[in-house]
Amino acid sequence: PTTISNFASIRPVLASGAHSLARVGHGRCKAEMENQQFAQGTLIWIKHEEEVWAQAEIVTSNEKESIVKTAEDPNSRIVLGPHEPIFLRTEDVFTGEGLSVLDDLCQLTHLHEPAVLSSLQNRFDIDKIYTFTGPILIALNPFKTIRNLYDEEVLRSFMTTKPSTKPHVFNTSNSTYRGICDRKKSQTVLISGESGAGKTETTKFVMKFLALAGSSDGQVTNVEKQVLESNPLLEAFGNARTLRNDNSSRFGKFIELQFRGGSQEAAQVGMSGENCRLCGARIQTYLLEKVRVCDQQEGERNYHLFYEACAAAVSLNGGLDYAFPQKLPENKVKEATKLNLEGFSDVGGFAYLTRSTCRTLKDVDDVEMFERRINAMQTIGISHDHITQVLRMVAAVLHLGNIKFDAPSNNSEGSTPMGECDASVAMASNLTGVERKTLESALCNQTRVTRTEKIKSPVGVRQAADNRDALAKAIYGIVFNFIVQTSNASIGYIADVKLFAGVLDIFGFECFKMNSFEQLCINFTNERLQQFFNSFVFKLEEQLYEREGIAWDPLDFPDNQDAVEMLQAKTVGAFSILDEECVVPQGSDQGFCNKLIKQYKGHRRFDEIKTKPTWFVIKHFAGPVNYCSDGFLDKNKDQLSNDLIECMGNSSNDFIKGLFQKDVKYGEVLNPPEEAAGGKKKKKYTVSSEFKDQLSSLMDIVDLTEPHFIRCIKPNPRNEPDSYDRKSVTEQLRYGGVLQVVQVSRAGYPVRINHEECWDDFKIIAQPSVITGLKHVDDAKIRAQKLLEHLTKELNVSTPKHGLPWAVGKTLVFFKLPSFERMKFARTELLVKNSTRIQATYRRYKMQNKYKAIRLFAKHVQACLRIKQARMAYELKRQQNATVKIQNQARAMAERRRYKALLMKVIKLQAWRKGITGRKHAKEFKKYRAASRIQAAWRKTQEQKVYIVLKKAIHVAQERWRMHAAKSQMKKLKQEAKEVGALMAKSQKAAEQATSLRKRNEELEAIQLQLQSEKKSLQTKVKSLEESMEQMQTQMDEVKDQAEEAAKLAADNSKMVVETESLKKLEDELAAKDAEIVKVKEEMQSMKEAIEKQAAQLTEAEGRYQQLLKNTAMQSMAGLPGGAAAARAPAAAGAPRRANSSNRNVFIQLVGAQNVGKTCLLEDFIKEQDPEQLAKFNEQRQNFMAHHQVQVGDRGLKLLDCSGNSRAAHLVKERFSRSAWVFIVYDLSKQESLDMALALTQEVHAAGARVLLFGNKYNADQGQAIEVDVAKAKDAAVRAEGVAMESSKLMDAVRFAMSSSEDSEAPDAAQGVDGLSPDGRRSSISAAIDSVKSWFGGADRTGKGTNLGVLRPSLKGTKAMKQARKDGDSNADLRPVQELQDSESAVTCICFGQERLHKAYVLLATASKDGTVVVYRCYRTEMEIAMLSDQDFPPDANANFNQPPADHSNIAVHSRLMGHSRAITSIFFNLLEDQLVTTSIDKSVRFWGIDSGEMLKVFTDSSPVPVATFLPFNPEVFVAANSNAVLRLVNVQNGMVLQKLKVETEVRALKFDDTGLFLLAGTKSGSIHVLEASDSSTLKFKFKVNLARGGVTCITFVPASYGQPPCLLVNTSDSSAAIIDCTYGPPAGVLTNLAVRHRVRVAHSLLPLKCCYSPSGQGYLISGSEDKEVYIYALGKGANYKMQYLKHHQVPVVAVAVNFQDTLLASADSLGRIVLWRRMDFSHIQE
């Protein structure tokens, strides 16, 4: 049981027997549990085909069957029979690091195979590869480098006298070392595991620790160096690549490290007492796999040294001498030398190295490794000649493998080397120092010795090839033994030193399809070690029971003595029978198998296979193994022909000759021993006998030491990192003896809990009177014992055959499994019963409230119905009255009609008579009138003729006269027009001149006034200057006179010489005076200019002074009680109302332009107030936003440091609404910093936060000029109800903010309003009445206008659309405007991006099931552009934005991203929205350039990645979840995993709240985990909320709005969507609870549907569904979560998304179609 084996090929053989619970060590537990009944809700483990064990829960249970439901599918039911294995399971426990994982599995309440398997996986998933299981250290091979796991600091941290509970290979090594130093007793570390499990690396770490533990001075001795270098040397000769491992040890080794007590000086690394130091070592090897020299499987390699030496020879390009070193630095090697590599060449030229196509290792340089091997040989002490000889022997082995044989033409039964192999034969004979003919003869002939002579006979081709392989294996084997012996001799084994630490690295239990002699020897070793392990653990248990003071029964513990005896017993053991068969004449493998079957037939550990006569079965502790006896005898004899032995013994090469002569086996042939007295011969050598002797010697050594066990486990057969194969690990746990620890450690009393836990768990099922009496017992042990005595009688607990049902120790309570299950069943039953009562009471209370509400509703409905009934009666009466009136009117109308008919008849008669008479008169009158008309017409005709002629004449005369008058008038007008134009031009010019003159006059008057004002101030100085001018002028006149006199005198020749000097002197004085006059004039001009400038500054200063007086008055009022509020009161009337302080979790937010000194100010502030936070501050210094918790006095302040990067401006602005104070920092020496600060002031004020404009005086104090207008800053602060100050220390502003906050923390008085309770909440009755009113069309209590529905209008509709819409439907205006489809593969997720950039379009990223990502451009409409504000979207010079496309439906493909091979699970933009991040079930997270479409980075995981997200305050770190239920924090820059956090099941949704501090993780099991981002690279588990039965597929965070708290919109696969309220505080800003506000129905059970939020109205929940519709639920108060839906898709709608402007909705379905929805605007169409 100290080993773990190769299991990849044993599963088909042991499929039926491997899962036997008896083999696992739980046979008794199973038998006891099969007859047990379980309470409803009991958590259990059940068998699972793929996962081995699966989590389940009892639904019902009886004696015949148990019905359970699994965690994966809670809706399904599984029926288990009475004999099905069931194990109890504890509930998951969470800590700040996530799912709790114990360091020692023996601390588990229920310790069995599924619990061990699950716990190891939980630890492995978070890179905790070491775990204690009692005395065993389990080490899982991570197949990767884990950061800070084996560093020098970690190694030194374990060098301590205090025992550590942390599982680590260094901890076990330290326990070994302390056992030597403190107890003066030898130690042994037993390391085992299957190939690839990490045994070799673990051995290296143990040896490294032991070698360095004693070097307290840090200096490593030569012995310690040799010990450390022995590992790589043995790896070269004994390690090879196998199918499971690139560096698999093909031999076992036991290394004895001798220690000698050093001086009594205190160790500098934490050691105390005597510090022992390594002084010697010895290496023993076991069962080298020599067959690998001649043959390897495909995909494997021969031993490393062959390939490394060949690679070094190839690098010489035909030469023989290798100059060492070439790869390693010369200062790192012991000696530079030249090595003869004769015989080595390319790997492809050797048959032994081409059995497999695998010739190189990944990331391994064979030449460099060759130099490391040579350096190791030198370090150990192997001489240069011996190194050369070793290399020659290795080359000889390779050339022997190239020799091929053929039958000679004259002897078909003989053999001879082929002619094509002459070069190899010659090289082999040269390297071994044997003549060629002698070598060929020894290979192709066999000598038989008779009593009288020796007979040499040829052998066949096959036998010759076997002789060749046997010689190659023999040479390699003795060379390997030489390396081991030389290493031991060089290091030195000191006989008188008895203290040692043994490190055993040996093969594990093996079981293949074909098991032979090697497997029998290996498994026998494991049986012996298992026996030793059982006895060791048995002693530990015995000590535990004695320490606890309880009785125990040794019959409960297992033993494998019978299996060991069956193999090693003298005369009748399997190995003894094999040795006997080897010496019996004509002994055979079949004969050995028959004898074995005859001897052990019927033995419980033995079995036969009747269909295979040469096979037998041995039932080992780890399971039955089928052995094939073919070849057992030959492998046991391991013979080399005497001809070859003598050939090598007579070699001219002293090295190989000496090796053969010194070898025990070959020395008997070369140096025949004399017969002993009595004619007895020396016992013949066999492999089994030698191996038994070695193993017995090893066990004798181990028995005398204190053992330490390390079990190396290979987590998966594919050697992949972060992959945990539960089947493979389970087999290794079973066959490696780990579960035997469980069996042994819990064979007596499996369940162990402490006294307090026993009392707390089981006091609820005892009688109350007993509990009352025991409450006052102070001794926890006595109290627990009396409680259990009472429960044993009360529950009628059965007594087991051996021992008591329970036992109370000094610190623990021990239970037999049936008694514990009986008590737990009673406890669970009581809990279920009480839970039912509590639920019933709660349901009664809930139904009572519901009844009251229904009663109220019924009364209201009845009142409404009575009103309606009265209205109907009144309406009926009105109808009756109306009927009578109508009848009256009808009768009157009929009578009236009859009267009118009679009247018409009378009138017709009168008319007929009158017509006759009238026609007569009319005829006569007509004649008269006709005559009159004829006469008139004639007269008219005559007059008209005269009139027409006259009219024409008059018209002609008038036209001529008017023409003449018009011409005259035209001439006159033209003349006048010319004169008026000239006058107007003159007038206009005069007016312009007058204007310019007037302006000039005004300017001159201003100048005159200015000059007059200057004149008064300069009069004194001007007068003085004039006086000086007059004096100077006088002096000049005098000088001129003197010059004239001098000129007159110059005429006199006699005086010329005398006066020359005086003349020159006067000329110089004159020039000086002229210069002085010019200078005085310039000074006067400059003084005038200075006076003007001073006057202007004086005027400006007066204005600033007035403003400063105002601002100072405001600040002085702010310092008085209530003064600040009073000062801000006038401006507050029109300002936005500040949000509730409970929603502002940041006290101070620090913003401003770049390079204004924000970070330096904050750093000085932290140094001064809370230096402990400085390290965290430096870590987050480069982040866009960083949270800091600073302790100022006795008060903790939360500060948010925001970057001035313009690309992160939108992120900074979003934080204004969550901050109490916003400090806007500007530099007094930079005007542009003030401009930006003033722009931010209004935005902060609009967000409801308090403003403090902080002028940084640092640069001004350093001498730089002040460029900003401080008064302007103060004025802006006053307008924003804030404060402005200038300082070089941030503490001044913080002190002011703290004092102001304390003054303003007075609670507001509660105001009673209609329907509101004193705490401001609506009463349930008023809300119910509002609800009923809404059913009957009642008015809205809030009095707000009618909601237009989801989305804001963004597209102008047509008149036809308006006429076609339905009145009263708020979604009638919501229409699909565009449909996109790139492929028929289902769309899995969509999202909008780059909405805050000032562009004519936004981006829509879509991901599909086939792994493709398409990014579309969705161009903005005219209405969307009009909605944009310069505050959120600064102006851009891009002309494309100002000219959007005329067609709103213009959609273009922005980029197409190709790289994923499988479905994409999530997609999102990074914080700056310049990159796109995707996760996929192809186990990768990829970063893409949005514009270029290039893949920038790829991060891979060990399992599919469902979701990922960025840390809001650190854009260089993202959180990714995988299907192994692990959350990883990964650094984007270097891919380093900063943290791993384990949860109980797969996380499928991640979302940060708006504070950026809390991460909400939705899981497959329907729970939400709340994690706190305590800093920029760490997540801490806070709490968990069980939400639903189905898995969480999407989480959307909604900030607080419309009087409602922040909430989550969560889609779950149980056909529902939940609205969950988030509760913050206390303390303020900390998320403390999640409570379900309401659940709505969504068709969702199979697909991972997404949801989103629309802030229109009072908010809407939008979700996809599997019934082909888009669901919309109103979230506003009084809306009763009214459901609406959009119909357009023909298949399930998978994903939905709304853009930032809330104008565009995108929905995607499972056929790849994406529909874009907009709300139409009809306000431009008149009614």
Side-chain angles (χ1 to χ4, degrees), residues 359-375:
R359 300 178 184 178
T360 59
L361 297 180
K362 184 179 180 181
D363 299 329
V364 175
D365 186 351
D366 285 332
V367 177
E368 181 180 351
M369 294 306 299
F370 175 75
E371 293 193 354
R372 293 183 182 275
R373 313 302 186 192
I374 300 301
N375 183 49

Side-chain angles (χ1 to χ4, degrees), residues 926-940:
K926 187 176 180 182
K927 289 180 181 179
Y928 174 76
R929 290 296 299 170
S932 299
R933 289 177 181 174
I934 293 171
Q935 293 174 358
W938 169 254
R939 294 190 188 96
K940 175 182 176 183

Side-chain angles (χ1 to χ4, degrees), residues 539-608:
K539 291 178 183 178
L540 293 180
E541 288 296 301
E542 182 181 6
Q543 294 173 3
L544 174 62
Y545 291 145
E546 291 177 354
R547 188 168 60 249
E548 290 290 334
I550 63 174
W552 60 284
D553 189 353
L555 296 177
D556 288 335
F557 294 91
D559 190 14
N560 66 332
Q561 179 64 31
D562 53 352
V564 174
E565 288 295 330
M566 186 181 69
L567 292 172
Q568 75 169 6
K570 293 183 178 180
T571 68
V572 295
F575 288 117
S576 298
I577 295 174
L578 180 61
D579 290 343
E580 180 184 353
E581 190 69 18
C582 288
V583 298
V584 171
Q586 297 182 348
S588 65
D589 299 326
Q590 179 69 51
F592 162 71
C593 186
N594 293 336
K595 289 182 180 179
L596 201 60
I597 293 173
K598 181 179 179 181
Q599 179 68 34
Y600 290 104
K601 189 173 184 179
H603 196 283
R604 77 182 189 95
R605 294 282 188 174
F606 186 84
D607 201 357
E608 62 177 321

Side-chain angles (χ1 to χ4, degrees), residues 1445-1479:
D1447 184 7
H1448 68 85
S1449 62
N1450 188 3
I1451 304 294
V1453 175
H1454 185 78
S1455 58
R1456 195 182 304 275
L1457 316 178
M1458 306 292 292
H1460 285 290
S1461 60
R1462 301 185 66 185
I1464 296 173
T1465 52
S1466 69
I1467 182 171
F1468 57 96
F1469 289 85
N1470 68 342
L1471 298 181
L1472 299 180
E1473 296 190 340
D1474 58 350
Q1475 295 179 8
L1476 191 67
V1477 186
T1478 57
T1479 64

